Amino acid sequence: ALIYLWITIFFMNFFYVNTTINGRDFSLRGVGAVQEYMQEEIAKYSLELKGKDGSSQTLEGSDIGLQLGEGDKIKEVLKKQHAFLWPLSFKQKTDVEIGIDAAYDQKTLSKTVQELVQKYNADVGDDADPVSSKPEFGGDKFVPSQEEYGKRVETEALQEAIQKAAGNYDQTIDLEAANCYEKPQYTSESQEVK
C-alpha cells in the first residue's frame, strides 16, 4: 500500500506511461519536459504573410516577441490524468493534442507591424486607394457597382491577424482573406448604394 501511494504521488507530477502529447512521447516526464519541447517549437516558428500582389514576407517568432506562455494547458492535461488510476496506464495509451501555449510581447509586435506596414505601403503605387460601390444605371434600374479594396495594408487589421495566427500557431496569413487591406466606404451590400 505504501508503494502504491508513493507511485500515486509520483503521477501527480509526471505523465502516465504511454502518454503522447502532440505526437511526442512524454511517458514518465513532467510539465517541464513538455514546456522545453514547446519552447523549441516556438523557437522554430515562422509566419508567412502573403499579399494579394503576390508579394511575401516571412516573420520569425522573435520578430513579434513570441515566447512560451504560462504552461496552463500542459498543467491541465496533467491534472486530468487522475493519479490514483496509474495502474491503468500500462494497458491504455493516452494521446493528447494541445495548442502551443504561446504569448507575444505587445511592444515588439506593434513595432514590427508598424515597420511592415510602412515598408509595404511605401511600395504601393498611386492607384492604391479603395473604390466604393456606387449605383449605376443597368438598363432599366440602378444596380450597385462592384467595390474594390485598396492596396495599402491597415495597421490594426494586420496586427489582429498576426495575433490570431500566432495564437493558433498558423504558418501563413493571406492578407486579402484576413481583410488587412484598406476597405471601401461602401460595398455592393451597403444600404446606401442599393
Side-chain angles (χ1 to χ4, degrees), residues 7 11 16-18 28 85-93:
I7 294 173
F11 282 117
Y16 284 156
V17 173
N18 296 321
L28 307 174
L85 300 177
W86 63 265
L88 298 176
S89 73
F90 292 100
K91 294 183 180 184
Q92 65 190 32
K93 195 170 170 125

Side-chain angles (χ1 to χ4, degrees), residues 28-156:
L28 307 174
R29 302 193 65 199
V31 169
V34 181
Q35 286 177 320
E36 197 174 291
Y37 160 72
M38 298 279 191
Q39 187 63 49
E40 290 169 10
E41 291 300 303
I42 285 175
K44 294 188 281 186
Y45 179 72
S46 65
L47 177 63
E48 183 181 10
L49 308 176
K50 292 183 176 184
K52 66 180 174 182
D53 61 354
S55 64
S56 176
Q57 172 78 36
T58 301
L59 296 177
E60 301 300 322
S62 58
D63 294 333
I64 59 172
L66 195 64
Q67 55 202 347
L68 188 62
E70 297 294 315
D72 293 338
K73 293 177 185 178
I74 303 165
K75 292 173 187 168
E76 283 296 315
V77 171
L78 186 61
K79 259 187 203 176
K80 289 179 183 177
Q81 94 175 351
H82 304 294
F84 287 99
L85 300 177
W86 63 265
L88 298 176
S89 73
F90 292 100
K91 294 183 180 184
Q92 65 190 32
K93 195 170 170 125
T94 305
D95 294 316
V96 181
E97 289 292 324
I98 56 174
I100 293 187
D101 195 8
Y104 49 85
D105 178 60
Q106 190 65 44
K107 274 185 173 179
T108 305
L109 174 63
S110 293
K111 182 178 182 245
T112 299
V113 168
Q114 286 287 341
E115 289 170 0
L116 275 172
V117 168
Q118 285 176 353
K119 179 183 175 216
Y120 186 84
N121 289 347
D123 294 339
V124 177
D126 293 334
D127 63 339
D129 293 331
V131 177
S132 286
S133 176
K134 57 187 173 215
E136 292 180 346
F137 193 67
D140 58 343
K141 65 179 179 175
F142 282 96
V143 292
S145 65
Q146 189 61 41
E147 71 276 1
E148 292 179 31
Y149 284 78
K151 294 180 182 175
R152 289 188 196 92
V153 173
E154 292 181 332
T155 304
E156 262 184 52

